[in-house]
Amino acid sequence: MEIDWAALRAAAIETMRRAYTPVSDFPVGVAGLVDDGRMVVGCNVENASLGMTLCAECGLVSSLHATGGGRLVAISCVDATGAPLMPCGRCRQLLWEHGGPELLVEALPRPLRMTELLPHAFGYEDMERVTGPVGAADVPADLARWRGRGTVFVHPDISGGTTIWTGYWERSSGEPGSAEEKGILEEGPNLPTTAAAVAWGLVRTPRVVVVDAEGGLSWAGEGEAPENIRQRWEEEKP
Ligand code: THU
C-alpha cells in the first residue's frame, strides 16, 4: 500500500492544533493510515486530574474503531513544531495491538517499524500460554437461538501486514445434500491467534472448521471429524 507521508504529516499537524493541553501546553497530533485506505486522527486531551491525560494516540485508536475498525498501517505523530514525535511507552503498547509489528511510525531519518519501537512486546500469546484462549466473546442475544447449530469457519486474514484470525458462523451444518438454511449468522472479530478464533467458534457451535492460508481444512469441533475433513486441528504449543 502506497503511504503518503506528507498527507499524514499534514493531517497530524492540523489535528495537533486542536489538542486540549491546559496543563502542559504540549499539543500532540497524530494521523494514521488504515488498511482500507482511510485516514484517522487524534490529539491529546488533558485533565485537571493529571493522570487522566489522554495521549493523541488514544484518540487515534478510538477514532479507528469508531469509524469502522481495521488495522493501522502507518502513523505520523507530531509535536507543536510539526516534527515527528515518538509515542510514549504506554502508547507503543496501544499501537502494537492495533497495527502490529509492521506498523510504520514516522521518525527521522526514516520511519521505524513497531518491532523496533517495542521489541519483545507483551501480547495475548503471553497470556494464552498460561490461561488458554482469550477473547471468546459471548453469543449476541439475537443469535442465542442459533447456539449449538450451524458451523463456524475459522480463517486467517492479513491485516496491516500482520496475520490475525477471524471466522464466521454459518447457518448450515454443511451436511451434503441437506435442505438447511444457508447464510452467515455472524462475522467474528479480529483475534490474535487461531486458538482464540476456535474458542470464539466453540462458544457458538460444536462444529468448528479451521481453514488455513492455503485453503486446507481441519476439524477443531467436538467429536468425530466429518468425513470430508480428515485432519484434526491441533493447537500449537510453544
Ligand atoms: N503525549 C501524547 O499525546 N502522545 C505521546 O506519545 C507523548 C505524550 C501528550 C500527553 C500530554 O498531554 C503531553 O503530551 C505531555 O506529556
mmCIF file of all heavy atoms in Angstrom, residues 20-21 24 26-28 43-46 53-57 77 85-88 91, ligand 1:
data_model
loop_
_atom_site.group_PDB
_atom_site.id
_atom_site.type_symbol
_atom_site.label_atom_id
_atom_site.label_comp_id
_atom_site.label_asym_id
_atom_site.label_seq_id
_atom_site.Cartn_x
_atom_site.Cartn_y
_atom_site.Cartn_z
ATOM 1 N N TYR A 20 -6.111 19.711 23.394
ATOM 2 C CA TYR A 20 -6.554 20.403 24.603
ATOM 3 C C TYR A 20 -5.499 20.169 25.670
ATOM 4 O O TYR A 20 -5.415 19.091 26.256
ATOM 5 C CB TYR A 20 -7.921 19.842 25.017
ATOM 6 C CG TYR A 20 -8.456 20.411 26.311
ATOM 7 C CD1 TYR A 20 -8.969 21.719 26.358
ATOM 8 C CD2 TYR A 20 -8.449 19.653 27.468
ATOM 9 C CE1 TYR A 20 -9.459 22.242 27.539
ATOM 10 C CE2 TYR A 20 -8.936 20.173 28.660
ATOM 11 C CZ TYR A 20 -9.436 21.460 28.688
ATOM 12 O OH TYR A 20 -9.924 21.983 29.869
ATOM 13 N N THR A 21 -4.625 21.189 25.877
ATOM 14 C CA THR A 21 -3.455 20.977 26.735
ATOM 15 C C THR A 21 -3.256 22.104 27.749
ATOM 16 O O THR A 21 -2.216 22.764 27.773
ATOM 17 C CB THR A 21 -2.176 20.849 25.875
ATOM 18 O OG1 THR A 21 -2.057 22.035 25.064
ATOM 19 C CG2 THR A 21 -2.220 19.654 24.970
ATOM 20 N N SER A 24 0.065 21.106 30.146
ATOM 21 C CA SER A 24 1.449 21.026 29.652
ATOM 22 C C SER A 24 1.758 22.046 28.566
ATOM 23 O O SER A 24 2.910 22.346 28.309
ATOM 24 C CB SER A 24 1.706 19.632 29.065
ATOM 25 O OG SER A 24 0.981 19.487 27.846
ATOM 26 N N PHE A 26 1.678 21.332 25.646
ATOM 27 C CA PHE A 26 2.451 20.495 24.733
ATOM 28 C C PHE A 26 1.474 19.729 23.836
ATOM 29 O O PHE A 26 1.156 18.564 24.081
ATOM 30 C CB PHE A 26 3.330 19.519 25.537
ATOM 31 C CG PHE A 26 4.300 18.727 24.696
ATOM 32 C CD1 PHE A 26 5.521 19.275 24.300
ATOM 33 C CD2 PHE A 26 3.998 17.433 24.280
ATOM 34 C CE1 PHE A 26 6.419 18.535 23.526
ATOM 35 C CE2 PHE A 26 4.890 16.688 23.502
ATOM 36 C CZ PHE A 26 6.102 17.241 23.129
ATOM 37 N N PRO A 27 0.947 20.418 22.820
ATOM 38 C CA PRO A 27 -0.036 19.753 21.956
ATOM 39 C C PRO A 27 0.612 18.687 21.082
ATOM 40 O O PRO A 27 1.745 18.851 20.628
ATOM 41 C CB PRO A 27 -0.598 20.894 21.103
ATOM 42 C CG PRO A 27 0.455 21.938 21.108
ATOM 43 C CD PRO A 27 1.199 21.808 22.416
ATOM 44 N N VAL A 28 -0.130 17.600 20.902
ATOM 45 C CA VAL A 28 0.325 16.488 20.061
ATOM 46 C C VAL A 28 -0.805 16.140 19.099
ATOM 47 O O VAL A 28 -1.979 16.146 19.482
ATOM 48 C CB VAL A 28 0.673 15.252 20.929
ATOM 49 C CG1 VAL A 28 1.113 14.073 20.062
ATOM 50 C CG2 VAL A 28 1.756 15.591 21.955
ATOM 51 N N CYS A 43 -5.804 13.772 18.901
ATOM 52 C CA CYS A 43 -4.995 14.799 19.564
ATOM 53 C C CYS A 43 -5.034 14.521 21.069
ATOM 54 O O CYS A 43 -5.922 13.821 21.545
ATOM 55 C CB CYS A 43 -5.530 16.202 19.260
ATOM 56 S SG CYS A 43 -7.217 16.477 19.800
ATOM 57 N N ASN A 44 -4.062 15.038 21.799
ATOM 58 C CA ASN A 44 -4.065 14.799 23.243
ATOM 59 C C ASN A 44 -5.069 15.694 23.949
ATOM 60 O O ASN A 44 -5.357 16.821 23.510
ATOM 61 C CB ASN A 44 -2.657 14.914 23.853
ATOM 62 C CG ASN A 44 -1.955 16.220 23.590
ATOM 63 O OD1 ASN A 44 -2.254 16.905 22.619
ATOM 64 N ND2 ASN A 44 -1.004 16.566 24.442
ATOM 65 N N VAL A 45 -5.625 15.168 25.030
ATOM 66 C CA VAL A 45 -6.647 15.860 25.814
ATOM 67 C C VAL A 45 -6.280 15.703 27.279
ATOM 68 O O VAL A 45 -6.274 14.588 27.806
ATOM 69 C CB VAL A 45 -8.047 15.257 25.532
ATOM 70 C CG1 VAL A 45 -9.092 15.885 26.448
ATOM 71 C CG2 VAL A 45 -8.439 15.446 24.066
ATOM 72 N N GLU A 46 -5.947 16.821 27.914
ATOM 73 C CA GLU A 46 -5.510 16.774 29.312
ATOM 74 C C GLU A 46 -6.687 17.013 30.249
ATOM 75 O O GLU A 46 -7.806 17.304 29.812
ATOM 76 C CB GLU A 46 -4.384 17.783 29.518
ATOM 77 C CG GLU A 46 -3.183 17.392 28.678
ATOM 78 C CD GLU A 46 -1.997 18.327 28.789
ATOM 79 O OE1 GLU A 46 -2.161 19.453 29.313
ATOM 80 O OE2 GLU A 46 -0.902 17.926 28.348
ATOM 81 N N THR A 53 -4.795 12.177 31.672
ATOM 82 C CA THR A 53 -4.455 12.661 30.326
ATOM 83 C C THR A 53 -4.590 11.587 29.258
ATOM 84 O O THR A 53 -4.120 10.468 29.415
ATOM 85 C CB THR A 53 -3.002 13.194 30.322
ATOM 86 O OG1 THR A 53 -2.983 14.395 31.073
ATOM 87 C CG2 THR A 53 -2.498 13.459 28.924
ATOM 88 N N LEU A 54 -5.261 11.967 28.185
ATOM 89 C CA LEU A 54 -5.368 11.067 27.033
ATOM 90 C C LEU A 54 -4.331 11.493 26.009
ATOM 91 O O LEU A 54 -4.338 12.634 25.550
ATOM 92 C CB LEU A 54 -6.757 11.174 26.399
ATOM 93 C CG LEU A 54 -7.946 10.901 27.316
ATOM 94 C CD1 LEU A 54 -9.251 11.180 26.579
ATOM 95 C CD2 LEU A 54 -7.920 9.471 27.820
ATOM 96 N N CYS A 55 -3.442 10.601 25.651
ATOM 97 C CA CYS A 55 -2.477 10.902 24.603
ATOM 98 C C CYS A 55 -3.192 10.955 23.259
ATOM 99 O O CYS A 55 -4.277 10.385 23.080
ATOM 100 C CB CYS A 55 -1.397 9.828 24.546
ATOM 101 S SG CYS A 55 -0.176 9.940 25.864
ATOM 102 N N ALA A 56 -2.558 11.602 22.308
ATOM 103 C CA ALA A 56 -3.122 11.708 20.966
ATOM 104 C C ALA A 56 -3.409 10.320 20.384
ATOM 105 O O ALA A 56 -4.414 10.109 19.693
ATOM 106 C CB ALA A 56 -2.158 12.479 20.073
ATOM 107 N N GLU A 57 -2.539 9.377 20.686
ATOM 108 C CA GLU A 57 -2.685 8.026 20.126
ATOM 109 C C GLU A 57 -3.942 7.338 20.649
ATOM 110 O O GLU A 57 -4.520 6.490 19.959
ATOM 111 C CB GLU A 57 -1.451 7.183 20.464
ATOM 112 C CG GLU A 57 -0.170 7.661 19.799
ATOM 113 C CD GLU A 57 0.580 8.716 20.616
ATOM 114 O OE1 GLU A 57 -0.053 9.404 21.453
ATOM 115 O OE2 GLU A 57 1.799 8.849 20.419
ATOM 116 N N CYS A 77 3.055 11.115 14.051
ATOM 117 C CA CYS A 77 2.711 11.773 15.311
ATOM 118 C C CYS A 77 3.625 12.990 15.404
ATOM 119 O O CYS A 77 4.833 12.871 15.160
ATOM 120 C CB CYS A 77 2.979 10.796 16.458
ATOM 121 S SG CYS A 77 2.523 11.405 18.081
ATOM 122 N N LEU A 85 7.166 12.944 16.533
ATOM 123 C CA LEU A 85 7.299 12.720 17.971
ATOM 124 C C LEU A 85 7.164 11.220 18.217
ATOM 125 O O LEU A 85 6.285 10.574 17.661
ATOM 126 C CB LEU A 85 6.180 13.475 18.691
ATOM 127 C CG LEU A 85 6.160 13.378 20.210
ATOM 128 C CD1 LEU A 85 7.333 14.142 20.812
ATOM 129 C CD2 LEU A 85 4.843 13.922 20.758
ATOM 130 N N MET A 86 8.027 10.695 19.039
ATOM 131 C CA MET A 86 7.969 9.270 19.353
ATOM 132 C C MET A 86 6.837 9.005 20.344
ATOM 133 O O MET A 86 6.720 9.707 21.352
ATOM 134 C CB MET A 86 9.295 8.819 19.972
ATOM 135 C CG MET A 86 10.411 8.658 18.968
ATOM 136 S SD MET A 86 10.023 7.331 17.803
ATOM 137 C CE MET A 86 9.586 8.270 16.373
ATOM 138 N N PRO A 87 6.010 8.022 20.079
ATOM 139 C CA PRO A 87 4.935 7.666 21.022
ATOM 140 C C PRO A 87 5.500 7.247 22.374
ATOM 141 O O PRO A 87 6.563 6.623 22.435
ATOM 142 C CB PRO A 87 4.242 6.473 20.355
ATOM 143 C CG PRO A 87 4.658 6.503 18.923
ATOM 144 C CD PRO A 87 5.999 7.165 18.881
ATOM 145 N N CYS A 88 4.795 7.589 23.433
ATOM 146 C CA CYS A 88 5.238 7.211 24.776
ATOM 147 C C CYS A 88 5.122 5.695 24.942
ATOM 148 O O CYS A 88 4.542 4.997 24.108
ATOM 149 C CB CYS A 88 4.415 7.933 25.843
ATOM 150 S SG CYS A 88 2.777 7.227 26.117
ATOM 151 N N CYS A 91 1.614 4.167 24.856
ATOM 152 C CA CYS A 91 1.000 4.221 23.525
ATOM 153 C C CYS A 91 1.657 3.248 22.553
ATOM 154 O O CYS A 91 1.031 2.807 21.589
ATOM 155 C CB CYS A 91 1.014 5.640 22.992
ATOM 156 S SG CYS A 91 -0.166 6.651 23.910
HETATM 157 N N1 THU B 1 1.597 12.961 24.673
HETATM 158 C C1 THU B 1 0.916 12.384 23.643
HETATM 159 O O1 THU B 1 -0.199 12.819 23.313
HETATM 160 N N2 THU B 1 1.471 11.346 22.987
HETATM 161 C C2 THU B 1 2.720 10.854 23.254
HETATM 162 O O2 THU B 1 3.090 9.814 22.735
HETATM 163 C C3 THU B 1 3.601 11.587 24.178
HETATM 164 C C4 THU B 1 2.876 12.472 25.153
HETATM 165 C C5 THU B 1 0.974 14.088 25.393
HETATM 166 C C6 THU B 1 0.444 13.719 26.740
HETATM 167 C C7 THU B 1 0.469 15.071 27.445
HETATM 168 O O3 THU B 1 -0.741 15.739 27.165
HETATM 169 C C8 THU B 1 1.603 15.829 26.776
HETATM 170 O O4 THU B 1 1.905 15.111 25.584
HETATM 171 C C9 THU B 1 2.849 15.920 27.627
HETATM 172 O O5 THU B 1 3.246 14.662 28.093
#
